[in-house]
Amino acid sequence: MPVPTFRYTLPVQVSPAQLWALVHDARRVAGLFPYVEVEEFAEVSPEVWSYWRRLSLPTLATLRWREEARATGEDTLAFRAVEGDLETFTGQWQVTPDEAGSRLTLQVAYEIPEGIGPAVPAFVATHVMN
């Protein structure tokens, strides 16, 4: 069975540098999603962060995983689960220039363990982006 993916792009009326400054704040970005708690946040190096996430959605059992985020260049913050309840959770935030300012793209590939519940709905990620 293919791994569920989600991709969403949103125009943002600020410069790419301003938007990247917000996305590059890994602690802030990690805590954006509703129903998610961030624990044990640590800066591994100037461009790499590690933290535990706990997802508590009413339709799912609580999931907990350690995630690593890494800035790649000056436009992408890549992340992936490295241990815990999610074997597949990887993606990136990307900032690109646009005529009106910037575009912010979130791309995620994930797999909810069998028997836990339905896939996390795309509207949760869309809500956070908006």
Side-chain angles (χ1 to χ4, degrees), residues 14-84:
V14 300
S15 72
Q18 290 172 302
L19 186 55
W20 176 244
L22 293 173
V23 171
H24 189 256
D25 183 350
R27 180 187 298 269
R28 182 174 186 269
V29 169
L32 280 177
F33 289 93
Y35 309 108
V36 173
E37 292 178 45
V38 176
E39 307 165 341
E40 300 177 33
F41 189 93
E43 185 174 331
V44 177
S45 71
E47 298 296 321
V48 179
W49 302 268
S50 176
Y51 44 89
W52 282 91
R53 280 193 185 195
R54 179 186 309 274
L55 175 66
S56 300
L57 281 172
T59 58
L60 291 174
T62 298
L63 299 173
R64 188 169 185 262
W65 67 96
R66 187 165 66 88
E67 192 169 310
E68 179 183 278
R70 178 180 305 268
T72 58
E74 295 184 7
D75 65 358
T76 303
L77 182 67
F79 55 87
R80 66 187 178 100
V82 293
E83 69 178 283

Side-chain angles (χ1 to χ4, degrees), residues 6 8 10 32-35 121-130:
F6 174 80
Y8 185 69
L10 183 70
L32 280 177
F33 289 93
Y35 309 108
F123 78 83
V124 173
T126 304
H127 170 74
V128 169
M129 293 285 286
N130 286 326

